[in-house]
Amino acid sequence: MPGLADKVLVLSRGWRPMGVVRARKAIGLVAVSHAVIVCPQTYGTYSLHDWAGLPARGNVPRIQAVRFSFDRPEVIVLYRTNRRAHLPIRFSRRSVFQRDRYTCQYCLRVLRPEALTIDHVLPRSRGGRTSWENCVAACVSCNLAKGSSSPGDRVPKLRQRPRQPHWTALLENRPSWDSFLRRARCS
């Protein structure tokens, strides 16, 4: 069913972002009264029945239930939890590229994922580890120019020090989530 696999932002009872779930899971949480739907424009909260009574927004997929249809929710808030999210970010090639915004960290060129490589700032041959703090996105030519040199050698200069990103930095950019995610990044 279209729209059920889309992502929905989950907020705690204190309206802090906790994570992301598929729309199917979010609708299930609302249907069993564990959460309510939040309208990102007005911050109003709605039960599933009340949400279905609102007029359709043209740019959001519609979900067809047995007796009614409704817009796919974009944000839900849980009733029973107030914990802060400390979601672990899995280290992977894709997540390093997302953290670095698909930009070579030496020459600052924005490239497609196929044109990027992972560079170990301190090479593995010199004891460098594969971690958030030692890996950056690099274009092939900069990575070859650096070779197995370490930061103290005469090599292309690293533009910013790598670090583990906040979990919200790896979410796709959705305007309806911005006001909620800004609050999470500040805390």
Side-chain angles (χ1 to χ4, degrees):
M1 189 175 243
L4 288 177
D6 293 342
K7 295 179 181 175
V8 175
L9 182 65
V10 179
L11 306 176
S12 71
R13 186 180 67 191
W15 288 62
R16 291 198 174 273
M18 293 181 56
V20 176
V21 296
R22 301 268 182 216
R24 178 185 306 274
K25 171 86 172 168
I27 292 166
L29 289 168
V30 173
V32 296
S33 300
H34 288 297
V36 289
I37 299 170
V38 177
C39 177
Q41 291 78 26
T42 65
Y43 299 103
T45 57
Y46 300 89
S47 68
L48 195 56
H49 186 267
D50 293 339
W51 185 251
L54 296 177
R57 293 178 291 165
N59 58 344
V60 178
R62 297 283 291 175
I63 306 293
Q64 181 63 51
V66 175
R67 295 195 174 121
F68 54 87
S69 66
F70 54 92
D71 286 347
R72 177 195 33 83
E74 296 179 74
V75 181
I76 64 169
V77 62
L78 298 174
Y79 278 130
R80 298 196 176 152
T81 184
N82 206 17
R83 70 176 177 85
R84 290 182 60 182
H86 294 288
L87 300 177
I89 302 170
R90 203 178 107 228
F91 180 87
S92 69
R93 178 182 178 87
R94 180 175 179 234
S95 57
V96 170
F97 293 165
Q98 284 179 310
R99 176 199 66 187
D100 294 344
R101 293 189 161 87
Y102 299 93
T103 304
C104 173
Q105 295 302 293
Y106 296 104
C107 66
L108 299 181
R109 285 189 302 160
V110 178
L111 300 164
R112 295 182 327 276
E114 309 85 55
L116 288 170
T117 62
I118 298 291
D119 177 56
H120 288 76
V121 177
L122 179 62
R124 289 187 293 182
S125 63
R126 294 190 179 191
R129 298 174 44 115
T130 301
S131 67
W132 285 109
E133 293 78 19
N134 193 45
C135 292
V136 295
C139 66
V140 174
S141 57
C142 287
N143 202 348
L144 286 173
K146 181 179 173 280
S148 63
S149 305
S150 62
D153 301 339
R154 291 181 185 230
V155 295
K157 185 179 180 203
L158 188 63
R159 304 301 175 154
Q160 67 182 24
R161 193 171 146 222
R163 60 185 174 90
Q164 182 169 353
H166 192 271
W167 68 271
T168 58
L170 299 183
L171 294 176
E172 64 256 10
N173 188 12
R174 290 210 183 156
S176 61
W177 295 359
D178 283 348
S179 61
F180 303 107
L181 295 178
R182 269 195 305 274
R183 184 176 176 193
R185 289 181 186 123
C186 294
S187 58

PDB file of all heavy atoms in Angstrom, residues 34-68:
ATOM      1  N   HIS A  34      -1.606   4.673  21.796  1.00  0.00           N
ATOM      2  CA  HIS A  34      -0.289   4.884  22.406  1.00  0.00           C
ATOM      3  C   HIS A  34       0.327   6.199  21.949  1.00  0.00           C
ATOM      4  O   HIS A  34       1.331   6.641  22.503  1.00  0.00           O
ATOM      5  CB  HIS A  34       0.666   3.741  22.073  1.00  0.00           C
ATOM      6  CG  HIS A  34       0.346   2.462  22.771  1.00  0.00           C
ATOM      7  ND1 HIS A  34       0.375   2.320  24.136  1.00  0.00           N
ATOM      8  CD2 HIS A  34      -0.028   1.261  22.279  1.00  0.00           C
ATOM      9  CE1 HIS A  34       0.038   1.084  24.458  1.00  0.00           C
ATOM     10  NE2 HIS A  34      -0.220   0.427  23.351  1.00  0.00           N
ATOM     11  N   ALA A  35      -0.259   6.802  20.916  1.00  0.00           N
ATOM     12  CA  ALA A  35       0.282   8.040  20.351  1.00  0.00           C
ATOM     13  C   ALA A  35      -0.841   8.819  19.685  1.00  0.00           C
ATOM     14  O   ALA A  35      -1.936   8.296  19.478  1.00  0.00           O
ATOM     15  CB  ALA A  35       1.374   7.715  19.332  1.00  0.00           C
ATOM     16  N   VAL A  36      -0.544  10.073  19.375  1.00  0.00           N
ATOM     17  CA  VAL A  36      -1.451  10.905  18.578  1.00  0.00           C
ATOM     18  C   VAL A  36      -0.668  11.480  17.409  1.00  0.00           C
ATOM     19  O   VAL A  36       0.556  11.596  17.467  1.00  0.00           O
ATOM     20  CB  VAL A  36      -2.090  12.045  19.408  1.00  0.00           C
ATOM     21  CG1 VAL A  36      -3.097  11.507  20.392  1.00  0.00           C
ATOM     22  CG2 VAL A  36      -1.044  12.874  20.101  1.00  0.00           C
ATOM     23  N   ILE A  37      -1.376  11.844  16.378  1.00  0.00           N
ATOM     24  CA  ILE A  37      -0.758  12.440  15.191  1.00  0.00           C
ATOM     25  C   ILE A  37      -0.593  13.935  15.429  1.00  0.00           C
ATOM     26  O   ILE A  37      -1.494  14.587  15.956  1.00  0.00           O
ATOM     27  CB  ILE A  37      -1.622  12.178  13.942  1.00  0.00           C
ATOM     28  CG1 ILE A  37      -1.737  10.661  13.698  1.00  0.00           C
ATOM     29  CG2 ILE A  37      -1.041  12.888  12.726  1.00  0.00           C
ATOM     30  CD1 ILE A  37      -2.755  10.280  12.646  1.00  0.00           C
ATOM     31  N   VAL A  38       0.554  14.469  15.015  1.00  0.00           N
ATOM     32  CA  VAL A  38       0.831  15.897  15.151  1.00  0.00           C
ATOM     33  C   VAL A  38       0.798  16.521  13.768  1.00  0.00           C
ATOM     34  O   VAL A  38       1.449  16.037  12.841  1.00  0.00           O
ATOM     35  CB  VAL A  38       2.217  16.139  15.792  1.00  0.00           C
ATOM     36  CG1 VAL A  38       2.527  17.627  15.849  1.00  0.00           C
ATOM     37  CG2 VAL A  38       2.292  15.516  17.165  1.00  0.00           C
ATOM     38  N   CYS A  39       0.059  17.605  13.637  1.00  0.00           N
ATOM     39  CA  CYS A  39       0.086  18.376  12.397  1.00  0.00           C
ATOM     40  C   CYS A  39       1.321  19.273  12.459  1.00  0.00           C
ATOM     41  O   CYS A  39       1.414  20.134  13.339  1.00  0.00           O
ATOM     42  CB  CYS A  39      -1.176  19.217  12.258  1.00  0.00           C
ATOM     43  SG  CYS A  39      -1.161  20.256  10.781  1.00  0.00           S
ATOM     44  N   PRO A  40       2.306  19.087  11.567  1.00  0.00           N
ATOM     45  CA  PRO A  40       3.551  19.853  11.663  1.00  0.00           C
ATOM     46  C   PRO A  40       3.382  21.363  11.466  1.00  0.00           C
ATOM     47  O   PRO A  40       4.212  22.131  11.940  1.00  0.00           O
ATOM     48  CB  PRO A  40       4.421  19.277  10.548  1.00  0.00           C
ATOM     49  CG  PRO A  40       3.759  18.058  10.063  1.00  0.00           C
ATOM     50  CD  PRO A  40       2.332  18.120  10.491  1.00  0.00           C
ATOM     51  N   GLN A  41       2.322  21.775  10.803  1.00  0.00           N
ATOM     52  CA  GLN A  41       2.113  23.199  10.568  1.00  0.00           C
ATOM     53  C   GLN A  41       1.491  23.898  11.777  1.00  0.00           C
ATOM     54  O   GLN A  41       1.859  25.013  12.121  1.00  0.00           O
ATOM     55  CB  GLN A  41       1.228  23.427   9.330  1.00  0.00           C
ATOM     56  CG  GLN A  41       1.879  23.057   8.028  1.00  0.00           C
ATOM     57  CD  GLN A  41       1.890  21.552   7.774  1.00  0.00           C
ATOM     58  OE1 GLN A  41       1.066  20.808   8.272  1.00  0.00           O
ATOM     59  NE2 GLN A  41       2.869  21.099   7.001  1.00  0.00           N
ATOM     60  N   THR A  42       0.513  23.245  12.428  1.00  0.00           N
ATOM     61  CA  THR A  42      -0.221  23.892  13.520  1.00  0.00           C
ATOM     62  C   THR A  42       0.137  23.351  14.893  1.00  0.00           C
ATOM     63  O   THR A  42      -0.273  23.922  15.895  1.00  0.00           O
ATOM     64  CB  THR A  42      -1.741  23.691  13.323  1.00  0.00           C
ATOM     65  OG1 THR A  42      -2.033  22.290  13.432  1.00  0.00           O
ATOM     66  CG2 THR A  42      -2.205  24.231  11.981  1.00  0.00           C
ATOM     67  N   TYR A  43       0.860  22.230  14.946  1.00  0.00           N
ATOM     68  CA  TYR A  43       1.199  21.522  16.189  1.00  0.00           C
ATOM     69  C   TYR A  43      -0.033  20.980  16.905  1.00  0.00           C
ATOM     70  O   TYR A  43       0.041  20.617  18.072  1.00  0.00           O
ATOM     71  CB  TYR A  43       2.014  22.398  17.146  1.00  0.00           C
ATOM     72  CG  TYR A  43       3.334  22.836  16.562  1.00  0.00           C
ATOM     73  CD1 TYR A  43       3.507  24.126  16.081  1.00  0.00           C
ATOM     74  CD2 TYR A  43       4.396  21.951  16.480  1.00  0.00           C
ATOM     75  CE1 TYR A  43       4.715  24.524  15.533  1.00  0.00           C
ATOM     76  CE2 TYR A  43       5.614  22.342  15.931  1.00  0.00           C
ATOM     77  CZ  TYR A  43       5.765  23.625  15.465  1.00  0.00           C
ATOM     78  OH  TYR A  43       6.949  24.010  14.931  1.00  0.00           O
ATOM     79  N   GLY A  44      -1.147  20.916  16.211  1.00  0.00           N
ATOM     80  CA  GLY A  44      -2.345  20.306  16.779  1.00  0.00           C
ATOM     81  C   GLY A  44      -2.181  18.800  16.834  1.00  0.00           C
ATOM     82  O   GLY A  44      -1.496  18.210  16.001  1.00  0.00           O
ATOM     83  N   THR A  45      -2.818  18.158  17.820  1.00  0.00           N
ATOM     84  CA  THR A  45      -2.741  16.706  17.939  1.00  0.00           C
ATOM     85  C   THR A  45      -4.104  16.098  17.618  1.00  0.00           C
ATOM     86  O   THR A  45      -5.146  16.673  17.954  1.00  0.00           O
ATOM     87  CB  THR A  45      -2.289  16.285  19.352  1.00  0.00           C
ATOM     88  OG1 THR A  45      -3.186  16.822  20.315  1.00  0.00           O
ATOM     89  CG2 THR A  45      -0.870  16.770  19.636  1.00  0.00           C
ATOM     90  N   TYR A  46      -4.060  14.926  16.977  1.00  0.00           N
ATOM     91  CA  TYR A  46      -5.287  14.311  16.480  1.00  0.00           C
ATOM     92  C   TYR A  46      -5.267  12.801  16.699  1.00  0.00           C
ATOM     93  O   TYR A  46      -4.238  12.158  16.514  1.00  0.00           O
ATOM     94  CB  TYR A  46      -5.440  14.556  14.967  1.00  0.00           C
ATOM     95  CG  TYR A  46      -5.513  16.009  14.601  1.00  0.00           C
ATOM     96  CD1 TYR A  46      -4.353  16.732  14.329  1.00  0.00           C
ATOM     97  CD2 TYR A  46      -6.736  16.660  14.533  1.00  0.00           C
ATOM     98  CE1 TYR A  46      -4.411  18.071  13.996  1.00  0.00           C
ATOM     99  CE2 TYR A  46      -6.804  18.001  14.195  1.00  0.00           C
ATOM    100  CZ  TYR A  46      -5.641  18.705  13.934  1.00  0.00           C
ATOM    101  OH  TYR A  46      -5.705  20.026  13.609  1.00  0.00           O
ATOM    102  N   SER A  47      -6.427  12.258  17.045  1.00  0.00           N
ATOM    103  CA  SER A  47      -6.606  10.808  17.029  1.00  0.00           C
ATOM    104  C   SER A  47      -6.725  10.403  15.561  1.00  0.00           C
ATOM    105  O   SER A  47      -6.868  11.257  14.673  1.00  0.00           O
ATOM    106  CB  SER A  47      -7.864  10.413  17.792  1.00  0.00           C
ATOM    107  OG  SER A  47      -9.014  10.860  17.079  1.00  0.00           O
ATOM    108  N   LEU A  48      -6.716   9.125  15.296  1.00  0.00           N
ATOM    109  CA  LEU A  48      -6.813   8.663  13.913  1.00  0.00           C
ATOM    110  C   LEU A  48      -8.148   9.067  13.288  1.00  0.00           C
ATOM    111  O   LEU A  48      -8.200   9.522  12.144  1.00  0.00           O
ATOM    112  CB  LEU A  48      -6.630   7.143  13.868  1.00  0.00           C
ATOM    113  CG  LEU A  48      -6.352   6.529  12.511  1.00  0.00           C
ATOM    114  CD1 LEU A  48      -5.135   7.159  11.854  1.00  0.00           C
ATOM    115  CD2 LEU A  48      -6.146   5.033  12.637  1.00  0.00           C
ATOM    116  N   HIS A  49      -9.216   8.954  14.060  1.00  0.00           N
ATOM    117  CA  HIS A  49     -10.543   9.322  13.547  1.00  0.00           C
ATOM    118  C   HIS A  49     -10.622  10.820  13.254  1.00  0.00           C
ATOM    119  O   HIS A  49     -11.150  11.243  12.220  1.00  0.00           O
ATOM    120  CB  HIS A  49     -11.625   8.910  14.555  1.00  0.00           C
ATOM    121  CG  HIS A  49     -13.000   9.112  14.035  1.00  0.00           C
ATOM    122  ND1 HIS A  49     -13.716  10.253  14.256  1.00  0.00           N
ATOM    123  CD2 HIS A  49     -13.780   8.312  13.273  1.00  0.00           C
ATOM    124  CE1 HIS A  49     -14.884  10.171  13.662  1.00  0.00           C
ATOM    125  NE2 HIS A  49     -14.958   8.995  13.057  1.00  0.00           N
ATOM    126  N   ASP A  50     -10.085  11.643  14.154  1.00  0.00           N
ATOM    127  CA  ASP A  50     -10.094  13.096  13.932  1.00  0.00           C
ATOM    128  C   ASP A  50      -9.212  13.482  12.749  1.00  0.00           C
ATOM    129  O   ASP A  50      -9.535  14.387  11.980  1.00  0.00           O
ATOM    130  CB  ASP A  50      -9.627  13.838  15.181  1.00  0.00           C
ATOM    131  CG  ASP A  50     -10.609  13.698  16.335  1.00  0.00           C
ATOM    132  OD1 ASP A  50     -11.795  13.390  16.077  1.00  0.00           O
ATOM    133  OD2 ASP A  50     -10.175  13.879  17.481  1.00  0.00           O
ATOM    134  N   TRP A  51      -8.063  12.800  12.611  1.00  0.00           N
ATOM    135  CA  TRP A  51      -7.137  13.067  11.500  1.00  0.00           C
ATOM    136  C   TRP A  51      -7.802  12.755  10.168  1.00  0.00           C
ATOM    137  O   TRP A  51      -7.632  13.470   9.183  1.00  0.00           O
ATOM    138  CB  TRP A  51      -5.871  12.243  11.696  1.00  0.00           C
ATOM    139  CG  TRP A  51      -4.778  12.473  10.715  1.00  0.00           C
ATOM    140  CD1 TRP A  51      -4.372  11.611   9.740  1.00  0.00           C
ATOM    141  CD2 TRP A  51      -3.922  13.617  10.601  1.00  0.00           C
ATOM    142  NE1 TRP A  51      -3.322  12.140   9.031  1.00  0.00           N
ATOM    143  CE2 TRP A  51      -3.019  13.378   9.541  1.00  0.00           C
ATOM    144  CE3 TRP A  51      -3.828  14.818  11.294  1.00  0.00           C
ATOM    145  CZ2 TRP A  51      -2.049  14.286   9.159  1.00  0.00           C
ATOM    146  CZ3 TRP A  51      -2.851  15.725  10.909  1.00  0.00           C
ATOM    147  CH2 TRP A  51      -1.982  15.463   9.857  1.00  0.00           C
ATOM    148  N   ALA A  52      -8.586  11.684  10.141  1.00  0.00           N
ATOM    149  CA  ALA A  52      -9.293  11.294   8.914  1.00  0.00           C
ATOM    150  C   ALA A  52     -10.357  12.322   8.532  1.00  0.00           C
ATOM    151  O   ALA A  52     -10.706  12.453   7.363  1.00  0.00           O
ATOM    152  CB  ALA A  52      -9.928   9.919   9.079  1.00  0.00           C
ATOM    153  N   GLY A  53     -10.854  13.069   9.506  1.00  0.00           N
ATOM    154  CA  GLY A  53     -11.875  14.075   9.230  1.00  0.00           C
ATOM    155  C   GLY A  53     -11.333  15.362   8.629  1.00  0.00           C
ATOM    156  O   GLY A  53     -12.097  16.211   8.169  1.00  0.00           O
ATOM    157  N   LEU A  54     -10.012  15.539   8.637  1.00  0.00           N
ATOM    158  CA  LEU A  54      -9.417  16.753   8.063  1.00  0.00           C
ATOM    159  C   LEU A  54      -9.388  16.675   6.545  1.00  0.00           C
ATOM    160  O   LEU A  54      -9.304  15.586   5.974  1.00  0.00           O
ATOM    161  CB  LEU A  54      -7.992  16.937   8.588  1.00  0.00           C
ATOM    162  CG  LEU A  54      -7.832  17.175  10.085  1.00  0.00           C
ATOM    163  CD1 LEU A  54      -6.360  17.253  10.446  1.00  0.00           C
ATOM    164  CD2 LEU A  54      -8.549  18.449  10.500  1.00  0.00           C
ATOM    165  N   PRO A  55      -9.418  17.816   5.859  1.00  0.00           N
ATOM    166  CA  PRO A  55      -9.339  17.791   4.397  1.00  0.00           C
ATOM    167  C   PRO A  55      -7.962  17.307   3.935  1.00  0.00           C
ATOM    168  O   PRO A  55      -6.957  17.477   4.627  1.00  0.00           O
ATOM    169  CB  PRO A  55      -9.567  19.249   3.987  1.00  0.00           C
ATOM    170  CG  PRO A  55      -9.374  20.054   5.214  1.00  0.00           C
ATOM    171  CD  PRO A  55      -9.585  19.157   6.385  1.00  0.00           C
ATOM    172  N   ALA A  56      -7.932  16.705   2.771  1.00  0.00           N
ATOM    173  CA  ALA A  56      -6.697  16.149   2.221  1.00  0.00           C
ATOM    174  C   ALA A  56      -5.731  17.261   1.830  1.00  0.00           C
ATOM    175  O   ALA A  56      -6.136  18.308   1.329  1.00  0.00           O
ATOM    176  CB  ALA A  56      -7.009  15.298   1.000  1.00  0.00           C
ATOM    177  N   ARG A  57      -4.461  17.026   2.114  1.00  0.00           N
ATOM    178  CA  ARG A  57      -3.401  17.921   1.632  1.00  0.00           C
ATOM    179  C   ARG A  57      -2.870  17.292   0.355  1.00  0.00           C
ATOM    180  O   ARG A  57      -2.604  16.091   0.313  1.00  0.00           O
ATOM    181  CB  ARG A  57      -2.285  18.050   2.671  1.00  0.00           C
ATOM    182  CG  ARG A  57      -2.744  18.776   3.929  1.00  0.00           C
ATOM    183  CD  ARG A  57      -1.663  18.853   4.956  1.00  0.00           C
ATOM    184  NE  ARG A  57      -1.417  17.496   5.463  1.00  0.00           N
ATOM    185  CZ  ARG A  57      -0.347  17.158   6.159  1.00  0.00           C
ATOM    186  NH1 ARG A  57       0.592  18.022   6.412  1.00  0.00           N
ATOM    187  NH2 ARG A  57      -0.201  15.917   6.599  1.00  0.00           N
ATOM    188  N   GLY A  58      -2.678  18.065  -0.662  1.00  0.00           N
ATOM    189  CA  GLY A  58      -2.341  17.535  -1.979  1.00  0.00           C
ATOM    190  C   GLY A  58      -1.001  16.841  -2.090  1.00  0.00           C
ATOM    191  O   GLY A  58      -0.828  15.939  -2.894  1.00  0.00           O
ATOM    192  N   ASN A  59      -0.011  17.223  -1.271  1.00  0.00           N
ATOM    193  CA  ASN A  59       1.339  16.692  -1.452  1.00  0.00           C
ATOM    194  C   ASN A  59       1.662  15.496  -0.569  1.00  0.00           C
ATOM    195  O   ASN A  59       2.769  15.007  -0.572  1.00  0.00           O
ATOM    196  CB  ASN A  59       2.366  17.798  -1.195  1.00  0.00           C
ATOM    197  CG  ASN A  59       2.236  18.379   0.204  1.00  0.00           C
ATOM    198  OD1 ASN A  59       1.230  18.191   0.871  1.00  0.00           O
ATOM    199  ND2 ASN A  59       3.247  19.096   0.631  1.00  0.00           N
ATOM    200  N   VAL A  60       0.704  15.005   0.213  1.00  0.00           N
ATOM    201  CA  VAL A  60       0.939  13.892   1.127  1.00  0.00           C
ATOM    202  C   VAL A  60       0.147  12.677   0.646  1.00  0.00           C
ATOM    203  O   VAL A  60      -1.033  12.808   0.304  1.00  0.00           O
ATOM    204  CB  VAL A  60       0.510  14.278   2.570  1.00  0.00           C
ATOM    205  CG1 VAL A  60       0.703  13.120   3.526  1.00  0.00           C
ATOM    206  CG2 VAL A  60       1.281  15.497   3.037  1.00  0.00           C
ATOM    207  N   PRO A  61       0.754  11.491   0.625  1.00  0.00           N
ATOM    208  CA  PRO A  61       0.014  10.298   0.193  1.00  0.00           C
ATOM    209  C   PRO A  61      -1.179  10.004   1.106  1.00  0.00           C
ATOM    210  O   PRO A  61      -1.114  10.227   2.312  1.00  0.00           O
ATOM    211  CB  PRO A  61       1.043   9.170   0.304  1.00  0.00           C
ATOM    212  CG  PRO A  61       2.368   9.818   0.416  1.00  0.00           C
ATOM    213  CD  PRO A  61       2.141  11.192   0.948  1.00  0.00           C
ATOM    214  N   ARG A  62      -2.240   9.502   0.515  1.00  0.00           N
ATOM    215  CA  ARG A  62      -3.436   9.131   1.274  1.00  0.00           C
ATOM    216  C   ARG A  62      -3.367   7.646   1.615  1.00  0.00           C
ATOM    217  O   ARG A  62      -2.936   6.829   0.810  1.00  0.00           O
ATOM    218  CB  ARG A  62      -4.707   9.382   0.463  1.00  0.00           C
ATOM    219  CG  ARG A  62      -4.974  10.824   0.098  1.00  0.00           C
ATOM    220  CD  ARG A  62      -5.513  11.652   1.195  1.00  0.00           C
ATOM    221  NE  ARG A  62      -6.884  11.298   1.583  1.00  0.00           N
ATOM    222  CZ  ARG A  62      -7.494  11.863   2.611  1.00  0.00           C
ATOM    223  NH1 ARG A  62      -6.894  12.781   3.325  1.00  0.00           N
ATOM    224  NH2 ARG A  62      -8.715  11.512   2.925  1.00  0.00           N
ATOM    225  N   ILE A  63      -3.802   7.316   2.814  1.00  0.00           N
ATOM    226  CA  ILE A  63      -3.898   5.937   3.261  1.00  0.00           C
ATOM    227  C   ILE A  63      -5.381   5.561   3.239  1.00  0.00           C
ATOM    228  O   ILE A  63      -6.206   6.278   3.801  1.00  0.00           O
ATOM    229  CB  ILE A  63      -3.349   5.765   4.701  1.00  0.00           C
ATOM    230  CG1 ILE A  63      -1.937   6.317   4.822  1.00  0.00           C
ATOM    231  CG2 ILE A  63      -3.455   4.313   5.148  1.00  0.00           C
ATOM    232  CD1 ILE A  63      -0.882   5.581   4.062  1.00  0.00           C
ATOM    233  N   GLN A  64      -5.697   4.451   2.597  1.00  0.00           N
ATOM    234  CA  GLN A  64      -7.082   4.019   2.502  1.00  0.00           C
ATOM    235  C   GLN A  64      -7.339   2.928   3.533  1.00  0.00           C
ATOM    236  O   GLN A  64      -6.757   1.853   3.471  1.00  0.00           O
ATOM    237  CB  GLN A  64      -7.386   3.484   1.103  1.00  0.00           C
ATOM    238  CG  GLN A  64      -8.813   3.020   0.903  1.00  0.00           C
ATOM    239  CD  GLN A  64      -9.818   4.143   1.064  1.00  0.00           C
ATOM    240  OE1 GLN A  64      -9.679   5.201   0.443  1.00  0.00           O
ATOM    241  NE2 GLN A  64     -10.823   3.928   1.900  1.00  0.00           N
ATOM    242  N   ALA A  65      -8.186   3.219   4.515  1.00  0.00           N
ATOM    243  CA  ALA A  65      -8.613   2.220   5.488  1.00  0.00           C
ATOM    244  C   ALA A  65      -9.934   1.619   4.989  1.00  0.00           C
ATOM    245  O   ALA A  65     -10.424   1.986   3.917  1.00  0.00           O
ATOM    246  CB  ALA A  65      -8.790   2.862   6.855  1.00  0.00           C
ATOM    247  N   VAL A  66     -10.523   0.750   5.759  1.00  0.00           N
ATOM    248  CA  VAL A  66     -11.758   0.104   5.333  1.00  0.00           C
ATOM    249  C   VAL A  66     -12.897   1.106   5.210  1.00  0.00           C
ATOM    250  O   VAL A  66     -13.613   1.143   4.220  1.00  0.00           O
ATOM    251  CB  VAL A  66     -12.150  -1.031   6.315  1.00  0.00           C
ATOM    252  CG1 VAL A  66     -13.501  -1.624   5.954  1.00  0.00           C
ATOM    253  CG2 VAL A  66     -11.084  -2.108   6.316  1.00  0.00           C
ATOM    254  N   ARG A  67     -13.050   1.982   6.223  1.00  0.00           N
ATOM    255  CA  ARG A  67     -14.202   2.891   6.239  1.00  0.00           C
ATOM    256  C   ARG A  67     -13.873   4.344   5.941  1.00  0.00           C
ATOM    257  O   ARG A  67     -14.767   5.159   5.799  1.00  0.00           O
ATOM    258  CB  ARG A  67     -14.878   2.812   7.598  1.00  0.00           C
ATOM    259  CG  ARG A  67     -15.478   1.445   7.837  1.00  0.00           C
ATOM    260  CD  ARG A  67     -16.449   1.478   8.984  1.00  0.00           C
ATOM    261  NE  ARG A  67     -17.090   0.189   9.079  1.00  0.00           N
ATOM    262  CZ  ARG A  67     -17.036  -0.571  10.145  1.00  0.00           C
ATOM    263  NH1 ARG A  67     -16.402  -0.157  11.215  1.00  0.00           N
ATOM    264  NH2 ARG A  67     -17.636  -1.740  10.152  1.00  0.00           N
ATOM    265  N   PHE A  68     -12.599   4.693   5.887  1.00  0.00           N
ATOM    266  CA  PHE A  68     -12.235   6.086   5.636  1.00  0.00           C
ATOM    267  C   PHE A  68     -10.813   6.138   5.091  1.00  0.00           C
ATOM    268  O   PHE A  68     -10.084   5.148   5.111  1.00  0.00           O
ATOM    269  CB  PHE A  68     -12.350   6.933   6.915  1.00  0.00           C
ATOM    270  CG  PHE A  68     -11.583   6.391   8.092  1.00  0.00           C
ATOM    271  CD1 PHE A  68     -10.242   6.715   8.289  1.00  0.00           C
ATOM    272  CD2 PHE A  68     -12.195   5.551   9.007  1.00  0.00           C
ATOM    273  CE1 PHE A  68      -9.535   6.215   9.366  1.00  0.00           C
ATOM    274  CE2 PHE A  68     -11.500   5.045  10.095  1.00  0.00           C
ATOM    275  CZ  PHE A  68     -10.156   5.379  10.271  1.00  0.00           C
TER     276      PHE A  68
END
